[in-house]
Amino acid sequence: MLKKNKTLGEFIIENQSSFQYSSGELSKLINALRLAAKVVNHEVNKAGLVDILGDAGDTNIQGESQQKLDVLANEKFIQTLKNREIVCGIASEEEDDFITINSNDENHQNKYVVLIDPLDGSSNIDVNVSVGTIFSIYRRVTPVGTPVEMKDFLQKGSEQVAAGYIVYGTSTMLVYSTGDGVNGFTLNPALGTFYLSHPNMQFPEEGKIYSVNEGNYVHFLQGVKDYIKYCQKEEGDRPYTSRYIGSLVSDFHRNMIKGGIYMYPKSSIAENGKLRLLYECNPMAYLAEQANGIASDGFGRILDIEPTELHQRVPFFCGSRKMVEKLHEFMAKNA
Ligand SMILES: O=P(O)(O)OC[C@H]1O[C@](O)(COP(=O)(O)O)[C@@H](O)[C@@H]1O
Ligand SMILES: [Mg+2]
Ligand SMILES: [Mg+2]
């Protein structure tokens, strides 16, 4: 049984040997993400006091207006990773193309690439509702010693070596996995230290919460509509409770603790849904499976999807095993 209140630093060192490619490089990388999380947490917590609320006045490659905190979080994560010379490339929701990191690594010796959603839940920033950061880590497929290429980023989610998120909520937590279960660490703001608070997180097999933007209901496929009606029907332990924060990280985190299903389906107004495969769906799917949950596009496993573009979107259904299996029944019936 993992002893609680171990610091994240201690946990990283102790668990390094259980990682198949253990060389200390991934530990350094997780440590860098931990540092960047603290820097961004500090900015998020005082957002209303300084001029970092609101629109940054630019749009990203997906045509979405960038919030000032999107831009700031993006800068902080990229800078922290660059300064620590431990990755050979970074891709981000807020960057059109991937970034090659070779400033101090002339020989391109670094083995890992990182994909990030620097600030998840942007529509909640200005209204003081919890937001997050999502990260996904792969070993490069191109030879060490050569510059990083697009194919190093366009890998199936099943190839991830680690993934995680930070939730900036009532408390700040860093939750991640390196393929050996999911563990959650809570930041003690006074000490600036993350402590193990949620060892071995697991999705309950069954849940009573469904999370979907019902404002889009009329545009959903019949299978999704039927499943939502099933959740709302007075029968057995239903109706379920509807909870939708509008920050993927926060909705996922709640559902992982309490049991539930999160859905961002495709619709007649969003052909492939809204969420991005590489830095939203793949990392959350990796965590879900490590925590005994399921993540699919309504028909197949998210982690088996072959990526084709850096910012591609996919329909996303994720959560407690029995709930996602029930959704699959309705999707199959209407396929
Ligand atoms: O407002 P909508 O259409 O329901 O979308 C909410 C979803 O979009 C997101 O905000 C997309 O993420 P970003 O904020 O990183 O762009 C998710 O966090 C959230 O679940
Ligand atoms: Mg996001
Ligand atoms: Mg974002």
Side-chain angles (χ1 to χ4, degrees):
M1 177 62 188
L2 282 171
K3 195 164 69 53
K4 270 192 167 184
N5 303 330
K6 194 187 294 271
T7 69
L8 175 53
E10 291 163 341
F11 182 89
I12 290 171
I13 292 164
E14 278 170 25
N15 288 276
Q16 191 171 290
S17 54
S18 69
F19 178 64
Q20 53 176 327
Y21 303 108
S22 160
S23 67
E25 221 176 304
L26 185 69
S27 300
K28 275 196 228 157
L29 179 42
I30 305 280
N31 272 321
L33 292 166
R34 164 176 66 153
L35 176 62
K38 289 198 267 187
V39 172
V40 171
N41 178 60
H42 182 65
E43 299 295 337
V44 168
N45 285 349
K46 62 180 171 71
L49 299 176
V50 288
D51 179 28
I52 45 174
L53 289 180
D55 209 308
D58 271 332
T59 56
N60 60 23
I61 189 165
Q62 298 139 68
E64 290 165 351
S65 65
Q66 288 179 314
Q67 304 300 300
K68 289 180 186 164
L69 258 174
D70 284 323
V71 175
L72 184 129
N74 188 49
E75 281 162 10
K76 296 296 179 194
F77 273 92
I78 291 175
Q79 206 50 50
T80 307
L81 291 170
K82 260 190 183 164
N83 293 351
R84 275 154 192 76
E85 305 169 10
I86 31 173
V87 291
C88 55
I90 301 173
S92 163
E93 177 190 359
E94 305 308 335
E95 300 286 338
D96 296 3
D97 205 347
F98 66 83
I99 302 167
T100 301
I101 309 288
N102 55 17
S103 51
N104 303 312
D105 170 40
E106 289 79 18
N107 314 322
H108 303 289
Q109 291 308 313
N110 291 331
K111 293 193 279 290
Y112 295 110
V113 296
V114 175
L115 299 100
I116 50 170
D117 176 354
L119 207 288
D120 178 62
S122 309
S123 64
N124 283 325
I125 295 170
D126 290 4
V127 291
N128 203 358
V129 171
S130 75
V131 292
T133 293
I134 309 174
F135 61 87
S136 166
I137 302 172
Y138 292 87
R139 283 172 69 84
R140 61 183 305 170
V141 292
T142 52
V144 167
T146 65
V148 73
E149 296 173 24
M150 183 58 92
K151 61 181 167 191
D152 291 307
F153 298 92
L154 298 184
Q155 299 187 51
K156 283 198 298 188
S158 52
E159 298 302 316
Q160 288 173 101
V161 292
Y165 60 81
I166 298 111
V167 54
Y168 312 102
T170 42
S171 64
T172 294
M173 284 187 66
L174 192 156
V175 175
Y176 80 107
S177 177
T178 56
D180 185 19
V182 177
N183 293 284
F185 300 80
T186 299
L187 181 65
N188 175 331
L191 303 177
T193 303
F194 282 100
Y195 288 90
L196 180 62
S197 53
H198 295 64
N200 197 20
M201 299 179 83
Q202 295 276 313
F203 268 98
E205 277 270 304
E206 185 58 281
K208 294 188 173 52
I209 295 170
Y210 68 101
S211 313
V212 64
N213 185 338
E214 293 187 65
N216 298 329
Y217 180 85
V218 288
H219 303 297
F220 291 154
L221 293 178
Q222 195 54 46
V224 178
K225 287 179 175 172
D226 293 351
Y227 178 69
I228 293 173
K229 286 293 164 231
Y230 168 87
C231 292
Q232 296 169 339
K233 192 160 184 221
E234 189 134 23
E235 194 179 52
D237 61 353
R238 286 167 286 128
Y240 296 149
T241 296
S242 171
R243 286 279 182 279
Y244 190 69
I245 295 169
S247 297
L248 165 64
V249 163
S250 314
D251 282 311
F252 177 97
H253 188 74
R254 182 212 41 251
N255 290 349
M256 180 158 65
I257 292 172
K258 300 233 173 185
I261 182 172
Y262 170 95
M263 303 178 268
Y264 208 106
K266 67 185 224 175
S267 68
S268 54
I269 50 170
E271 201 197 338
N272 294 308
K274 177 180 183 179
L275 302 181
R276 283 51 61 117
L277 174 62
L278 290 177
Y279 42 79
E280 290 174 318
C281 303
N282 270 340
M284 302 314 266
Y286 182 83
L287 293 169
E289 292 199 5
Q290 284 287 320
N292 193 31
I294 293 182
S296 87
D297 62 3
F299 300 98
R301 191 178 173 233
I302 289 287
L303 297 182
D304 288 340
I305 297 176
E306 280 288 350
T308 52
E309 289 162 40
L310 212 48
H311 302 285
Q312 72 186 85
R313 302 173 194 263
V314 292
F316 190 58
F317 302 88
C318 180
S320 294
R321 177 169 297 285
K322 293 210 172 121
M323 297 184 86
V324 181
E325 285 168 353
K326 179 56 77 177
L327 168 100
H328 286 164
E329 282 174 30
F330 284 98
M331 295 297 273
K333 244 186 260 157
N334 291 280

